[in-house]
Amino acid sequence: MENVWIQPGARPDPGYTEEQLKRARALAEQDIQASRKQLAARFGLGSICAEIVEKSDLSGISALESLAKQLGYSANTLDKYRRVTRAAADSFRERLIASPVVVPWKCVTTACVTDPAERAHRVGLLLGRLGSAERAGWPAVLDAAEYRHALGLADGSGDDPEPTPSAIVAQLDREDVREAVLAELTKTPTAALAVLQAPAVREVLQDQDVARYVREQMRPAPDPDEDLLNKLIGADTRDPRADWTIRYFDLAHKCREILLLGPEDFVDVDDPDVWESVESFRESVTSWADRVLQKRPHKIRLVSGE
């Protein structure tokens, strides 16, 4: 165990350096001044916040709580500065800051979305409107509402609100969104199981057409060796009991493969999911064996009389 000396009366580490706090204070003062300096200030704050979050073991908002208190900001605001700055390319930021036309922060947050293709489209449109304003000499400030209208978006007010569940569901009509959602759900069996165990999903699975579709998808693909065997000896002449026995021993052989792992293989395992799986496996096998053995036929033993 590492011994750490704590100076009596010393304050806990706030998660940022004094130099970062000094720079952040100066930029925070600019942030609340003229709108012409606002972009540079917020991009600067976003960069500092990114430095802090990168070296922190906490999530973005949690890592910025201490700095936010010092600056009089909310941690959510600083985290948004960080995320928008990360999404905005260096050349894009430099172009906006250097322009004599003021670009409202609302335009930047609208342009810097997560999806790369959509972001490229929005940034391109914003730069086009900026170039037109520079050549014409007006307006001095781009209109965020007009920019959003050109994108086919609602005017909105303030920063972009979190999307509602209905808005998220509506996006599932897009093939790329649907594929992304499916990929996320199938990363781990736990996520897929959580969806299947949801009461609403279980209710849907009670529909006969849905249940039939699920069963068909779970049915194993035809075995080419099985087809060949049917052609050689004929499906009608095969003994179904023999086929069942062959299938049973094939499954039993596969199940026994896990027994190749001995106790010594688990010495360094500290994953609780593994140990829960072992316990579940034991309980499942024991329960299954008890129920199956109840079907074992009772042999009649004849005892000869004296």
Side-chain angles (χ1 to χ4, degrees):
M1 178 182 297
E2 182 182 0
N3 293 322
V4 179
W5 166 254
I6 300 178
Q7 181 69 27
R11 292 183 300 172
D13 181 11
Y16 54 82
T17 66
E18 287 296 323
E19 186 271 342
Q20 288 172 332
L21 176 59
K22 182 179 179 181
R23 284 191 289 144
R25 282 190 188 281
L27 292 167
E29 290 175 2
Q30 295 178 30
D31 188 23
I32 60 177
Q33 292 176 2
S35 59
R36 190 173 297 277
K37 297 181 179 179
Q38 191 180 74
L39 282 186
R42 293 187 176 182
F43 284 144
L45 282 168
S47 297
I48 294 175
C49 291
E51 296 172 7
I52 295 171
V53 171
E54 184 179 356
K55 295 184 178 180
S56 175
D57 295 330
L58 303 174
S59 63
I61 295 177
S62 299
L64 298 173
E65 288 283 358
S66 183
L67 179 64
K69 292 178 181 178
Q70 287 286 338
L71 301 178
Y73 282 68
S74 76
N76 283 310
T77 297
L78 289 182
D79 190 55
K80 181 146 193 176
Y81 290 176
R82 177 184 68 86
R83 288 184 284 110
V84 172
T85 301
R86 180 180 59 187
D90 292 344
S91 57
F92 177 56
R93 283 183 266 159
E94 292 169 0
R95 175 76 174 84
L96 299 184
I97 294 172
S99 176
V101 177
V102 175
V103 180
W105 179 250
K106 182 66 176 177
C107 291
V108 181
T109 59
T110 300
C112 295
V113 293
T114 305
D115 182 75
E118 180 64 18
R119 181 169 67 244
H121 167 63
R122 295 188 182 192
V123 166
L125 181 60
L126 180 59
L127 291 178
R129 298 176 75 86
L130 180 62
S132 297
E134 289 172 342
R135 289 190 295 272
W138 67 276
V141 180
L142 289 185
D143 190 314
E146 290 182 0
Y147 170 59
R148 290 178 63 84
H149 181 72
L151 288 169
L153 304 174
D155 289 348
S157 60
D159 287 339
D160 290 335
E162 291 295 323
T164 61
S166 58
I168 296 174
V169 171
Q171 292 295 313
L172 291 176
D173 290 336
R174 291 173 45 182
E175 184 177 354
D176 57 334
V177 173
R178 191 163 56 250
E179 290 178 354
V181 171
L182 290 175
E184 189 66 26
L185 286 176
T186 53
K187 278 183 179 179
T188 62
T190 305
L193 183 61
V195 173
L196 293 174
Q197 289 178 333
V201 175
R202 294 174 68 87
E203 184 176 347
V204 171
L205 291 175
Q206 292 178 5
D207 183 277
Q208 292 185 358
D209 292 335
V210 175
R212 186 181 303 110
Y213 173 79
V214 173
R215 284 197 298 271
E216 289 176 354
Q217 298 305 309
M218 295 178 65
R219 190 171 299 159
D223 188 345
D225 294 337
E226 188 80 5
D227 293 339
L228 179 59
L229 191 59
N230 285 333
K231 291 178 182 179
L232 291 175
I233 65 177
D236 296 336
T237 60
R238 293 178 59 177
D239 184 350
R241 292 173 299 180
D243 284 348
W244 186 92
T245 303
I246 293 173
R247 179 169 176 266
Y248 165 76
F249 281 109
D250 180 53
L251 293 173
H253 175 72
K254 292 178 180 177
C255 289
R256 286 195 180 98
E257 288 183 0
I258 198 171
L259 301 180
L260 297 176
L261 294 174
E264 64 280 358
D265 294 312
F266 293 82
V267 172
D268 297 324
V269 175
D270 59 358
D271 188 341
D273 290 338
V274 173
W275 294 111
E276 288 180 9
S277 174
V278 173
E279 291 179 353
S280 176
F281 185 72
R282 178 188 62 185
E283 293 170 0
S284 299
V285 171
T286 302
S287 174
W288 173 83
D290 290 342
R291 287 183 282 111
V292 170
L293 289 175
Q294 292 177 4
K295 305 298 182 181
R296 173 187 280 179
H298 297 285
K299 296 182 179 180
I300 300 176
R301 183 167 59 91
L302 298 178
V303 181
S304 58
E306 294 180 354

PDB file of all heavy atoms in Angstrom, residues 186-211:
ATOM      1  N   THR A 186     -26.470  -5.250 -29.094  1.00  0.00           N
ATOM      2  CA  THR A 186     -25.884  -6.578 -29.200  1.00  0.00           C
ATOM      3  C   THR A 186     -24.417  -6.628 -28.791  1.00  0.00           C
ATOM      4  O   THR A 186     -23.753  -7.641 -28.988  1.00  0.00           O
ATOM      5  CB  THR A 186     -26.019  -7.108 -30.644  1.00  0.00           C
ATOM      6  OG1 THR A 186     -25.482  -6.123 -31.564  1.00  0.00           O
ATOM      7  CG2 THR A 186     -27.472  -7.335 -30.996  1.00  0.00           C
ATOM      8  N   LYS A 187     -23.909  -5.535 -28.198  1.00  0.00           N
ATOM      9  CA  LYS A 187     -22.521  -5.557 -27.732  1.00  0.00           C
ATOM     10  C   LYS A 187     -22.337  -6.584 -26.624  1.00  0.00           C
ATOM     11  O   LYS A 187     -21.319  -7.266 -26.541  1.00  0.00           O
ATOM     12  CB  LYS A 187     -22.112  -4.165 -27.220  1.00  0.00           C
ATOM     13  CG  LYS A 187     -21.695  -3.200 -28.330  1.00  0.00           C
ATOM     14  CD  LYS A 187     -21.238  -1.880 -27.735  1.00  0.00           C
ATOM     15  CE  LYS A 187     -20.805  -0.912 -28.821  1.00  0.00           C
ATOM     16  NZ  LYS A 187     -20.379   0.385 -28.246  1.00  0.00           N
ATOM     17  N   THR A 188     -23.326  -6.684 -25.751  1.00  0.00           N
ATOM     18  CA  THR A 188     -23.235  -7.630 -24.643  1.00  0.00           C
ATOM     19  C   THR A 188     -24.553  -8.369 -24.510  1.00  0.00           C
ATOM     20  O   THR A 188     -25.624  -7.797 -24.763  1.00  0.00           O
ATOM     21  CB  THR A 188     -22.946  -6.911 -23.309  1.00  0.00           C
ATOM     22  OG1 THR A 188     -24.035  -6.015 -23.032  1.00  0.00           O
ATOM     23  CG2 THR A 188     -21.647  -6.137 -23.380  1.00  0.00           C
ATOM     24  N   PRO A 189     -24.543  -9.661 -24.109  1.00  0.00           N
ATOM     25  CA  PRO A 189     -25.785 -10.399 -23.888  1.00  0.00           C
ATOM     26  C   PRO A 189     -26.659  -9.735 -22.825  1.00  0.00           C
ATOM     27  O   PRO A 189     -27.879  -9.824 -22.881  1.00  0.00           O
ATOM     28  CB  PRO A 189     -25.295 -11.777 -23.426  1.00  0.00           C
ATOM     29  CG  PRO A 189     -23.901 -11.900 -23.952  1.00  0.00           C
ATOM     30  CD  PRO A 189     -23.352 -10.498 -23.919  1.00  0.00           C
ATOM     31  N   THR A 190     -26.028  -9.050 -21.863  1.00  0.00           N
ATOM     32  CA  THR A 190     -26.798  -8.418 -20.790  1.00  0.00           C
ATOM     33  C   THR A 190     -27.744  -7.359 -21.340  1.00  0.00           C
ATOM     34  O   THR A 190     -28.900  -7.262 -20.917  1.00  0.00           O
ATOM     35  CB  THR A 190     -25.849  -7.771 -19.761  1.00  0.00           C
ATOM     36  OG1 THR A 190     -24.940  -8.761 -19.290  1.00  0.00           O
ATOM     37  CG2 THR A 190     -26.626  -7.214 -18.592  1.00  0.00           C
ATOM     38  N   ALA A 191     -27.275  -6.566 -22.302  1.00  0.00           N
ATOM     39  CA  ALA A 191     -28.116  -5.517 -22.871  1.00  0.00           C
ATOM     40  C   ALA A 191     -29.297  -6.116 -23.627  1.00  0.00           C
ATOM     41  O   ALA A 191     -30.436  -5.658 -23.488  1.00  0.00           O
ATOM     42  CB  ALA A 191     -27.283  -4.634 -23.801  1.00  0.00           C
ATOM     43  N   ALA A 192     -29.023  -7.154 -24.423  1.00  0.00           N
ATOM     44  CA  ALA A 192     -30.108  -7.797 -25.171  1.00  0.00           C
ATOM     45  C   ALA A 192     -31.106  -8.448 -24.223  1.00  0.00           C
ATOM     46  O   ALA A 192     -32.324  -8.382 -24.429  1.00  0.00           O
ATOM     47  CB  ALA A 192     -29.528  -8.839 -26.127  1.00  0.00           C
ATOM     48  N   LEU A 193     -30.605  -9.070 -23.160  1.00  0.00           N
ATOM     49  CA  LEU A 193     -31.484  -9.726 -22.197  1.00  0.00           C
ATOM     50  C   LEU A 193     -32.359  -8.709 -21.478  1.00  0.00           C
ATOM     51  O   LEU A 193     -33.542  -8.958 -21.215  1.00  0.00           O
ATOM     52  CB  LEU A 193     -30.649 -10.509 -21.180  1.00  0.00           C
ATOM     53  CG  LEU A 193     -31.439 -11.324 -20.145  1.00  0.00           C
ATOM     54  CD1 LEU A 193     -32.288 -12.370 -20.842  1.00  0.00           C
ATOM     55  CD2 LEU A 193     -30.484 -11.996 -19.162  1.00  0.00           C
ATOM     56  N   ALA A 194     -31.807  -7.545 -21.180  1.00  0.00           N
ATOM     57  CA  ALA A 194     -32.581  -6.505 -20.495  1.00  0.00           C
ATOM     58  C   ALA A 194     -33.763  -6.062 -21.354  1.00  0.00           C
ATOM     59  O   ALA A 194     -34.856  -5.810 -20.845  1.00  0.00           O
ATOM     60  CB  ALA A 194     -31.683  -5.316 -20.174  1.00  0.00           C
ATOM     61  N   VAL A 195     -33.536  -5.998 -22.673  1.00  0.00           N
ATOM     62  CA  VAL A 195     -34.620  -5.615 -23.571  1.00  0.00           C
ATOM     63  C   VAL A 195     -35.682  -6.705 -23.622  1.00  0.00           C
ATOM     64  O   VAL A 195     -36.889  -6.451 -23.542  1.00  0.00           O
ATOM     65  CB  VAL A 195     -34.072  -5.330 -24.986  1.00  0.00           C
ATOM     66  CG1 VAL A 195     -35.209  -5.097 -25.968  1.00  0.00           C
ATOM     67  CG2 VAL A 195     -33.158  -4.124 -24.963  1.00  0.00           C
ATOM     68  N   LEU A 196     -35.253  -7.957 -23.746  1.00  0.00           N
ATOM     69  CA  LEU A 196     -36.197  -9.072 -23.844  1.00  0.00           C
ATOM     70  C   LEU A 196     -36.999  -9.262 -22.559  1.00  0.00           C
ATOM     71  O   LEU A 196     -38.126  -9.766 -22.592  1.00  0.00           O
ATOM     72  CB  LEU A 196     -35.441 -10.367 -24.177  1.00  0.00           C
ATOM     73  CG  LEU A 196     -34.809 -10.409 -25.569  1.00  0.00           C
ATOM     74  CD1 LEU A 196     -33.967 -11.666 -25.735  1.00  0.00           C
ATOM     75  CD2 LEU A 196     -35.885 -10.352 -26.642  1.00  0.00           C
ATOM     76  N   GLN A 197     -36.421  -8.868 -21.426  1.00  0.00           N
ATOM     77  CA  GLN A 197     -37.115  -9.040 -20.155  1.00  0.00           C
ATOM     78  C   GLN A 197     -38.070  -7.894 -19.846  1.00  0.00           C
ATOM     79  O   GLN A 197     -38.835  -7.976 -18.886  1.00  0.00           O
ATOM     80  CB  GLN A 197     -36.089  -9.173 -19.020  1.00  0.00           C
ATOM     81  CG  GLN A 197     -35.332 -10.490 -19.036  1.00  0.00           C
ATOM     82  CD  GLN A 197     -34.295 -10.578 -17.936  1.00  0.00           C
ATOM     83  OE1 GLN A 197     -33.781  -9.559 -17.484  1.00  0.00           O
ATOM     84  NE2 GLN A 197     -33.971 -11.792 -17.513  1.00  0.00           N
ATOM     85  N   ALA A 198     -38.033  -6.836 -20.644  1.00  0.00           N
ATOM     86  CA  ALA A 198     -38.927  -5.706 -20.406  1.00  0.00           C
ATOM     87  C   ALA A 198     -40.378  -6.161 -20.569  1.00  0.00           C
ATOM     88  O   ALA A 198     -40.702  -6.887 -21.514  1.00  0.00           O
ATOM     89  CB  ALA A 198     -38.618  -4.577 -21.375  1.00  0.00           C
ATOM     90  N   PRO A 199     -41.261  -5.774 -19.659  1.00  0.00           N
ATOM     91  CA  PRO A 199     -42.664  -6.216 -19.731  1.00  0.00           C
ATOM     92  C   PRO A 199     -43.314  -5.929 -21.080  1.00  0.00           C
ATOM     93  O   PRO A 199     -44.060  -6.761 -21.600  1.00  0.00           O
ATOM     94  CB  PRO A 199     -43.331  -5.422 -18.599  1.00  0.00           C
ATOM     95  CG  PRO A 199     -42.225  -5.148 -17.631  1.00  0.00           C
ATOM     96  CD  PRO A 199     -41.004  -4.950 -18.465  1.00  0.00           C
ATOM     97  N   ALA A 200     -43.031  -4.766 -21.649  1.00  0.00           N
ATOM     98  CA  ALA A 200     -43.652  -4.408 -22.930  1.00  0.00           C
ATOM     99  C   ALA A 200     -43.208  -5.355 -24.039  1.00  0.00           C
ATOM    100  O   ALA A 200     -44.009  -5.768 -24.886  1.00  0.00           O
ATOM    101  CB  ALA A 200     -43.305  -2.970 -23.296  1.00  0.00           C
ATOM    102  N   VAL A 201     -41.917  -5.737 -24.032  1.00  0.00           N
ATOM    103  CA  VAL A 201     -41.400  -6.651 -25.059  1.00  0.00           C
ATOM    104  C   VAL A 201     -41.974  -8.043 -24.857  1.00  0.00           C
ATOM    105  O   VAL A 201     -42.349  -8.729 -25.819  1.00  0.00           O
ATOM    106  CB  VAL A 201     -39.860  -6.674 -25.029  1.00  0.00           C
ATOM    107  CG1 VAL A 201     -39.322  -7.711 -26.008  1.00  0.00           C
ATOM    108  CG2 VAL A 201     -39.305  -5.298 -25.351  1.00  0.00           C
ATOM    109  N   ARG A 202     -42.059  -8.486 -23.613  1.00  0.00           N
ATOM    110  CA  ARG A 202     -42.626  -9.810 -23.330  1.00  0.00           C
ATOM    111  C   ARG A 202     -44.082  -9.880 -23.779  1.00  0.00           C
ATOM    112  O   ARG A 202     -44.546 -10.909 -24.255  1.00  0.00           O
ATOM    113  CB  ARG A 202     -42.516 -10.105 -21.832  1.00  0.00           C
ATOM    114  CG  ARG A 202     -41.070 -10.258 -21.357  1.00  0.00           C
ATOM    115  CD  ARG A 202     -41.002 -10.403 -19.851  1.00  0.00           C
ATOM    116  NE  ARG A 202     -41.585 -11.664 -19.421  1.00  0.00           N
ATOM    117  CZ  ARG A 202     -40.919 -12.808 -19.344  1.00  0.00           C
ATOM    118  NH1 ARG A 202     -39.642 -12.845 -19.672  1.00  0.00           N
ATOM    119  NH2 ARG A 202     -41.498 -13.909 -18.936  1.00  0.00           N
ATOM    120  N   GLU A 203     -44.781  -8.768 -23.652  1.00  0.00           N
ATOM    121  CA  GLU A 203     -46.181  -8.739 -24.107  1.00  0.00           C
ATOM    122  C   GLU A 203     -46.263  -8.860 -25.623  1.00  0.00           C
ATOM    123  O   GLU A 203     -47.125  -9.558 -26.169  1.00  0.00           O
ATOM    124  CB  GLU A 203     -46.839  -7.444 -23.639  1.00  0.00           C
ATOM    125  CG  GLU A 203     -48.323  -7.364 -23.969  1.00  0.00           C
ATOM    126  CD  GLU A 203     -48.967  -6.113 -23.404  1.00  0.00           C
ATOM    127  OE1 GLU A 203     -48.329  -5.444 -22.558  1.00  0.00           O
ATOM    128  OE2 GLU A 203     -50.099  -5.806 -23.800  1.00  0.00           O
ATOM    129  N   VAL A 204     -45.335  -8.186 -26.319  1.00  0.00           N
ATOM    130  CA  VAL A 204     -45.320  -8.270 -27.779  1.00  0.00           C
ATOM    131  C   VAL A 204     -45.013  -9.698 -28.233  1.00  0.00           C
ATOM    132  O   VAL A 204     -45.579 -10.195 -29.210  1.00  0.00           O
ATOM    133  CB  VAL A 204     -44.277  -7.284 -28.357  1.00  0.00           C
ATOM    134  CG1 VAL A 204     -44.077  -7.516 -29.850  1.00  0.00           C
ATOM    135  CG2 VAL A 204     -44.712  -5.857 -28.100  1.00  0.00           C
ATOM    136  N   LEU A 205     -44.112 -10.374 -27.508  1.00  0.00           N
ATOM    137  CA  LEU A 205     -43.720 -11.737 -27.880  1.00  0.00           C
ATOM    138  C   LEU A 205     -44.860 -12.731 -27.715  1.00  0.00           C
ATOM    139  O   LEU A 205     -44.777 -13.855 -28.207  1.00  0.00           O
ATOM    140  CB  LEU A 205     -42.517 -12.184 -27.037  1.00  0.00           C
ATOM    141  CG  LEU A 205     -41.200 -11.467 -27.343  1.00  0.00           C
ATOM    142  CD1 LEU A 205     -40.116 -11.906 -26.373  1.00  0.00           C
ATOM    143  CD2 LEU A 205     -40.752 -11.737 -28.772  1.00  0.00           C
ATOM    144  N   GLN A 206     -45.923 -12.338 -27.011  1.00  0.00           N
ATOM    145  CA  GLN A 206     -47.070 -13.221 -26.865  1.00  0.00           C
ATOM    146  C   GLN A 206     -47.911 -13.267 -28.139  1.00  0.00           C
ATOM    147  O   GLN A 206     -48.741 -14.156 -28.306  1.00  0.00           O
ATOM    148  CB  GLN A 206     -47.945 -12.756 -25.685  1.00  0.00           C
ATOM    149  CG  GLN A 206     -47.269 -12.934 -24.333  1.00  0.00           C
ATOM    150  CD  GLN A 206     -48.132 -12.425 -23.192  1.00  0.00           C
ATOM    151  OE1 GLN A 206     -49.263 -12.017 -23.402  1.00  0.00           O
ATOM    152  NE2 GLN A 206     -47.592 -12.439 -21.982  1.00  0.00           N
ATOM    153  N   ASP A 207     -47.707 -12.309 -29.033  1.00  0.00           N
ATOM    154  CA  ASP A 207     -48.408 -12.328 -30.314  1.00  0.00           C
ATOM    155  C   ASP A 207     -47.966 -13.553 -31.111  1.00  0.00           C
ATOM    156  O   ASP A 207     -46.771 -13.829 -31.254  1.00  0.00           O
ATOM    157  CB  ASP A 207     -48.088 -11.046 -31.088  1.00  0.00           C
ATOM    158  CG  ASP A 207     -48.840 -10.968 -32.404  1.00  0.00           C
ATOM    159  OD1 ASP A 207     -48.371 -11.569 -33.391  1.00  0.00           O
ATOM    160  OD2 ASP A 207     -49.911 -10.315 -32.434  1.00  0.00           O
ATOM    161  N   GLN A 208     -48.921 -14.303 -31.639  1.00  0.00           N
ATOM    162  CA  GLN A 208     -48.593 -15.575 -32.302  1.00  0.00           C
ATOM    163  C   GLN A 208     -47.702 -15.367 -33.519  1.00  0.00           C
ATOM    164  O   GLN A 208     -46.769 -16.142 -33.751  1.00  0.00           O
ATOM    165  CB  GLN A 208     -49.887 -16.288 -32.716  1.00  0.00           C
ATOM    166  CG  GLN A 208     -50.717 -16.790 -31.539  1.00  0.00           C
ATOM    167  CD  GLN A 208     -51.916 -17.601 -31.994  1.00  0.00           C
ATOM    168  OE1 GLN A 208     -52.140 -17.759 -33.194  1.00  0.00           O
ATOM    169  NE2 GLN A 208     -52.670 -18.111 -31.042  1.00  0.00           N
ATOM    170  N   ASP A 209     -47.991 -14.330 -34.299  1.00  0.00           N
ATOM    171  CA  ASP A 209     -47.163 -14.097 -35.493  1.00  0.00           C
ATOM    172  C   ASP A 209     -45.731 -13.736 -35.112  1.00  0.00           C
ATOM    173  O   ASP A 209     -44.770 -14.219 -35.727  1.00  0.00           O
ATOM    174  CB  ASP A 209     -47.768 -12.963 -36.331  1.00  0.00           C
ATOM    175  CG  ASP A 209     -49.100 -13.368 -36.956  1.00  0.00           C
ATOM    176  OD1 ASP A 209     -49.302 -14.581 -37.153  1.00  0.00           O
ATOM    177  OD2 ASP A 209     -49.917 -12.474 -37.230  1.00  0.00           O
ATOM    178  N   VAL A 210     -45.589 -12.900 -34.076  1.00  0.00           N
ATOM    179  CA  VAL A 210     -44.251 -12.529 -33.620  1.00  0.00           C
ATOM    180  C   VAL A 210     -43.522 -13.736 -33.054  1.00  0.00           C
ATOM    181  O   VAL A 210     -42.350 -13.977 -33.350  1.00  0.00           O
ATOM    182  CB  VAL A 210     -44.326 -11.411 -32.562  1.00  0.00           C
ATOM    183  CG1 VAL A 210     -42.935 -11.110 -32.003  1.00  0.00           C
ATOM    184  CG2 VAL A 210     -44.932 -10.154 -33.160  1.00  0.00           C
ATOM    185  N   ALA A 211     -44.224 -14.524 -32.232  1.00  0.00           N
ATOM    186  CA  ALA A 211     -43.614 -15.710 -31.627  1.00  0.00           C
ATOM    187  C   ALA A 211     -43.178 -16.707 -32.699  1.00  0.00           C
ATOM    188  O   ALA A 211     -42.112 -17.319 -32.606  1.00  0.00           O
ATOM    189  CB  ALA A 211     -44.593 -16.360 -30.657  1.00  0.00           C
TER     190      ALA A 211
END
